[in-house]
Amino acid sequence: MTPLPPEQRQQLATLLAYCREMGGIDFYRSEKDLAEMAADPVPAQTAAEASQVTIRSAPSTPLNPASPETDPTMPPRKPNLLTPPPIIDFSSSAIAPQERAAALQTIRQEIGDCTRCQLAFEGRHKIVFGDGDPNAELLFVGEGPGADEDEQGVPFVGRAGQLLNNMIAAMGLGRERVYIANIVKCRPPKNRVPEPDEALTCTQFLFQQIGVVRPKLIVALGATAATYMLGSKASLSVLRGKVQDCMGTKLIVTYHPAYLLRDPRQKAEAWKDLQLAMQFLNLTPPKRAGS
Ligand code: SF4
């Protein structure tokens, strides 16, 4: 039994607070076990696992015997890329901070009662433009509105939205300090994944919003956001765990809160992603009583 250094205790206490807020303790032992680990000596190996913030790289995949790499008669693989998103020149003159709210409003007016893609005709009630601080350093991008968002016209207000709020709070921020938007602004029927033509049509407005807000970091929530933000069809396991270049700013990928609600065991992995974002933005988690 090796005593934990103070900084690892702090990390465990932070993880515990995060787990409580996210409503998922049982993914990592029990709440009691975790609380004890934060306060008491624990086996060195367990402490290292629990406090690890470095993200594992994706496991290498063995070559399929029938793949193009091993069989020259097979056609080559198609590149794992979509149309790349535009580069936003963050070095050019920015819109002044006090004018960004108005600039976003101008984009909203340009969208109007949009019928540029099929989602306008599949039961949409409200266009969900985006929400938050026009000068935010951190910008979250999700997939698309769900039923609650479609009803209210605001992104991430349902159960997944509550979990996202908790994730933001665990980072030491409030929702009012970040900006939140989606790949598509209208609800896909039955919450299906947006079709490529829908996503590629609608992201023109998202990219304009990003150009106005000019965040230091974008967090892509889930595979659809990662795909269209990075122009890559690579899996989340490949895209997570590193700070990526995206449109002239930086981006990390994590799981969508709706997925975390379905599989709470992945919340520990999402917390690693958020810690990576916090390191990049020099954020410290909020102090908790007793921590
Ligand atoms: S999803 Fe976007 S492009 Fe499609 S109708 Fe809605 S606002 Fe227009």
Side-chain angles (χ1 to χ4, degrees), residues 111 114-117 119-120 124 127 184-186 201-202 205:
I111 293 172
C114 186
T115 56
R116 293 172 178 86
C117 85
L119 292 179
R124 166 189 88 192
I127 293 175
V184 292
K185 300 188 186 305
C186 299
T201 301
C202 200
F205 301 114

Side-chain angles (χ1 to χ4, degrees), residues 166-179:
N166 293 345
M167 293 162 72
I168 294 168
M171 298 175 75
L173 296 172
R175 180 167 166 137
E176 71 285 351
R177 288 184 57 192
V178 305
Y179 195 85

